Amino acid sequence: ETGVTQTPRHLVMGMTNKKSLKCEQHLGHNAMYWYKQSAKKPLELMFVYNFKEQTENNSVPSRFSPECPNSSHLFLHLHTLQPEDSALYLCASSQGDSYEQYFGPGTRLTVT
Amino acid sequence: AQSVTQPDIHITVSEGASLELRCNYSYGATPYLFWYVQSPGQGLQLLLKYFSGDTLVQGIKGFEAEFKRSQSSFNLRKPSVHWSDAAEYFCAVGRAKTGANNLFFGTGTRLTVIP
């Protein structure tokens, strides 16, 4: 059972669409993360938020735009994506000074 | 720079057999090390972690891992594998930062369990 939920679980979008991924954590954590998981590659850390402030952006293209309105919610806004952006996008949360990250089930994104 | 290597992409074991998944890390300081498991269609679940102290750490679901500084390794073991252990396993090393602490993951090892 996970305290981190993600919606939608699956998303198919065209290259000209705009969509958003949502993540919500019910664990009282103050840090939230977006990861990209592609086949045969390590998980790629995309963004980190700590107390709603972005603390890390790992050179992610601007077509990915994160938003963290509060410590419980995290969004990833998507626009003009490329086929190579197709992947599983995972959200995670943690207490700020803990390495124990709790993951959501992910959103499987397909860009056509 | 931190890095994690999992040399085995795919391992197949028989149910009831023992298991060892390899992990090697590169890190300039004392590492914080983790093993996560991902079942199909699921997110990652923490199996166990090593911060300091006893180099043999116990985790959930009967897993254990041993930290060997001389070999820069943190291999995951289980004495008797169950069919439900079939999943993908990720080793990770932690990097200390102010505020949120970041993890660097290996590419994963897919475990298949045969009857």
Side-chain angles (χ1 to χ4, degrees):
Chain A
E1 185 174 344
T2 177
V4 181
T5 57
Q6 291 186 242
T7 54
R9 294 293 307 275
H10 300 272
L11 178 62
V12 179
M13 60 185 291
M15 293 169 61
T16 59
N17 292 158
K18 289 185 179 181
K19 296 287 185 183
S20 295
L21 309 185
K22 179 183 176 182
C23 174
E24 184 173 0
Q25 60 96 358
H26 312 274
L27 301 170
H29 292 164
N30 54 11
M32 297 188 76
Y33 310 75
W34 278 118
Y35 289 89
K36 177 183 179 182
Q37 186 178 29
S38 305
K40 296 183 172 51
K41 294 175 68 175
L43 268 72
E44 300 172 51
L45 180 64
M46 301 174 70
F47 302 103
V48 181
Y49 277 82
N50 190 34
F51 288 105
K52 303 187 299 178
E53 298 298 319
Q54 187 179 125
T55 58
E56 186 132 355
N57 174 341
N58 275 345
S59 302
V60 180
S62 60
R63 57 186 183 268
F64 295 90
S65 175
E67 178 189 1
C68 189
N70 54 62
S71 293
S72 298
H73 294 86
L74 185 64
F75 295 89
L76 189 62
H77 304 299
L78 316 171
H79 64 97
T80 58
L81 294 190
Q82 304 298 311
E84 60 265 29
D85 297 322
S86 299
L88 182 68
Y89 289 85
L90 292 165
C91 173
S93 70
S94 72
Q95 273 306 109
D97 58 356
S98 169
Y99 286 96
E100 293 188 43
Q101 295 183 17
Y102 292 78
F103 284 79
T107 295
R108 174 68 62 186
L109 173 67
T110 302
V111 181
T112 61
Chain B
Q2 302 87 351
S3 69
V4 178
T5 302
Q6 293 181 249
D8 303 307
I9 296 173
H10 186 200
I11 283 183
T12 299
V13 300
S14 298
E15 191 169 15
S18 63
L19 171 70
E20 183 168 29
L21 302 182
R22 296 183 291 166
C23 173
N24 293 97
Y25 66 89
S26 172
Y27 190 63
T30 299
Y32 297 155
L33 296 162
F34 305 81
W35 275 99
Y36 280 81
V37 61
Q38 185 180 30
S39 298
Q42 301 296 317
L44 278 68
Q45 181 184 20
L46 179 66
L47 280 177
L48 48 77
K49 60 185 183 285
Y50 171 79
F51 284 2
S52 65
D54 193 347
T55 56
L56 184 64
V57 293
Q58 303 296 320
I60 62 172
K61 305 185 181 187
F63 285 92
E64 65 178 26
E66 186 171 12
F67 170 58
K68 293 185 177 180
R69 184 186 299 276
S70 62
Q71 299 177 19
S72 297
S73 69
F74 188 57
N75 294 347
L76 182 70
R77 302 194 294 247
K78 186 169 184 178
S80 177
V81 169
H82 188 262
W83 65 266
S84 61
D85 294 323
E88 187 134 21
Y89 292 80
F90 294 91
C91 182
V93 62
R95 179 185 73 176
K97 287 196 66 170
T98 301
N101 292 318
N102 296 345
L103 296 177
F104 291 88
F105 288 85
T107 50
T109 297
R110 180 168 298 280
L111 174 66
T112 297
V113 180
I114 56 176

